[in-house]
């Protein structure tokens, strides 16, 4: 049975995930594979409803643990309903964020720590993980400025700079693991995309 590969794209706000998600999807297709593009929090009817709560600026006083559990509630549904069945069909799955965002935002940003996230990851996902994690790295201030031009700030984007510095540091910390690629997104788009193209094409070998 052919099995698809699971690629996730990660990074702080304004790092250019949307543009590069399209590139990755196009590259996978050009490699002759079916591709499914999805996102977290979200990706299912349940997950998209949970996302609304998570991003709602009027949702005051959500505790870091409640936030983490909602991320994993959405993820549990996403993996069983969408990601695993697609991979089993041989479709490649590209997700805008996955568990590494929980390590970065809830573990780092909210300071719950990586052990707490790791325990939940183990409970909810067992050993299931992406084949490739691409982390786009960018100066926090530059990213927030870019993000503020695209849309009105949501509950996360309203956080202070120190929060995003912790998020960024957590992403960088995770990038040394096997199957991870850290890409400097502070360069011209053509350079960023040239790197991503090489990274994705290696998966076809
Ligand atoms: P994103 O899709 O990047 O939002 P936008 O489309 O507005 O750019 O992600 C939504 C937010 O959710 C983002 O601020 C990061 C946050 N997030 C977490 O805090 N933990 C997680 O596990 C995930 C998946 C996302």
């Amino acid at each position: 049975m052919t099995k698809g590969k699971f690629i996730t794209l990660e990074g702080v706000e304004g790092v250019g995930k949307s543009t590069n998600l399209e590139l990755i999807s196009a590259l996978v297709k050009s490699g002759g594979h079916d591709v499914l593009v999805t996102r977290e929090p979200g990706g299912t009817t349940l997950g998209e409803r949970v996302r609304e709560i998570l991003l709602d600026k009027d949702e005051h006083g959500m505790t870091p643990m409640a936030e983490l559990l909602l991320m994993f509630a959405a993820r549990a549904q996403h993996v069983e309903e969408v990601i695993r069945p697609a991979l089993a069909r041989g479709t490649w799955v590209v997700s805008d964020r996955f568990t590494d965002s929980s390590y970065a935002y809830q573990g780092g940003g909210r300071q719950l720590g990586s052990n707490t996230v790791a325990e939940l990851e183990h409970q909810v996902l067992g050993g299931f993980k992406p084949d490739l994690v691409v982390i786009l790295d960018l100066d926090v201030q530059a990213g927030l400025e870019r993000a503020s031009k695209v849309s009105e700030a949501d509950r996360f984007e309203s956080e202070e700079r120190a929060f995003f510095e912790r998020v960024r540091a957590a992403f960088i910390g995770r990038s040394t693991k096997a199957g991870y690629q850290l890409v400097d997104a502070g360069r011209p788009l053509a350079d960023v995309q040239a790197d991503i193209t090489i990274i994705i094409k290696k998966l076809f070998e």
Side-chain angles (χ1 to χ4, degrees):
M1 188 181 78
T2 43
K3 205 179 154 303
K5 285 200 164 44
F6 181 30
I7 303 168
T8 64
L9 188 60
E10 300 277 6
V12 289
E13 317 297 317
V15 80
K17 279 190 294 98
S18 310
T19 312
N20 290 304
L21 205 67
E22 281 175 30
L23 171 71
I24 293 174
S25 162
L27 285 167
V28 171
K29 267 186 219 152
S30 74
H33 306 283
D34 285 335
V35 62
L36 183 120
V37 177
T38 186
R39 68 169 178 182
E40 289 210 346
T44 65
T45 308
L46 175 75
E48 292 295 331
R49 290 175 73 180
V50 171
R51 179 186 177 93
E52 276 180 35
I53 299 170
L54 281 162
L55 299 192
D56 186 355
K57 258 196 325 211
D58 297 328
E59 191 62 57
H60 300 292
M62 187 186 299
T63 70
M65 184 55 85
E67 185 178 283
L68 177 67
L69 291 169
L70 286 173
M71 292 294 177
F72 269 99
R75 184 165 299 132
Q77 190 71 28
H78 193 201
V79 169
E80 291 312 313
E81 189 182 316
V82 175
I83 300 175
R84 277 191 199 274
L87 295 174
R89 289 194 302 270
T91 298
W92 287 38
V93 177
V94 182
S95 187
D96 181 348
R97 301 190 181 281
F98 194 63
T99 311
D100 289 285
S101 277
S102 298
Y103 279 99
Y105 284 79
Q106 283 68 52
R110 302 287 188 219
Q111 299 179 292
L112 285 173
S114 58
N115 287 345
T116 305
V117 183
E119 278 173 27
L120 263 176
E121 180 184 27
H122 178 71
Q123 281 297 322
V124 176
L125 303 181
F128 181 77
K129 60 182 181 63
D131 295 286
L132 170 69
V133 179
V134 178
I135 300 175
L136 299 177
D137 183 51
L138 180 66
D139 172 74
V140 166
Q141 192 59 39
L144 289 175
E145 278 165 22
R146 272 200 213 167
S148 70
K149 284 182 195 142
V150 177
S151 61
E152 206 193 319
D154 60 32
R155 202 173 59 83
F156 287 98
E157 288 161 354
S158 311
E159 284 297 328
E160 82 278 25
R161 167 128 184 221
F163 173 85
F164 293 107
E165 293 291 356
R166 291 194 296 275
V167 171
R168 182 186 183 197
F171 274 133
I172 292 172
R174 292 189 65 72
S175 69
T176 55
K177 298 161 77 73
Y180 284 64
Q181 293 283 348
L182 187 71
V183 175
D184 175 2
R187 297 168 300 154
L189 184 62
D191 295 352
V192 175
Q193 300 212 320
D195 281 6
I196 291 176
T197 303
I198 292 168
I199 291 166
I200 299 301
K201 286 192 170 167
K202 270 195 197 135
L203 278 185
F204 300 152
E205 285 163 12

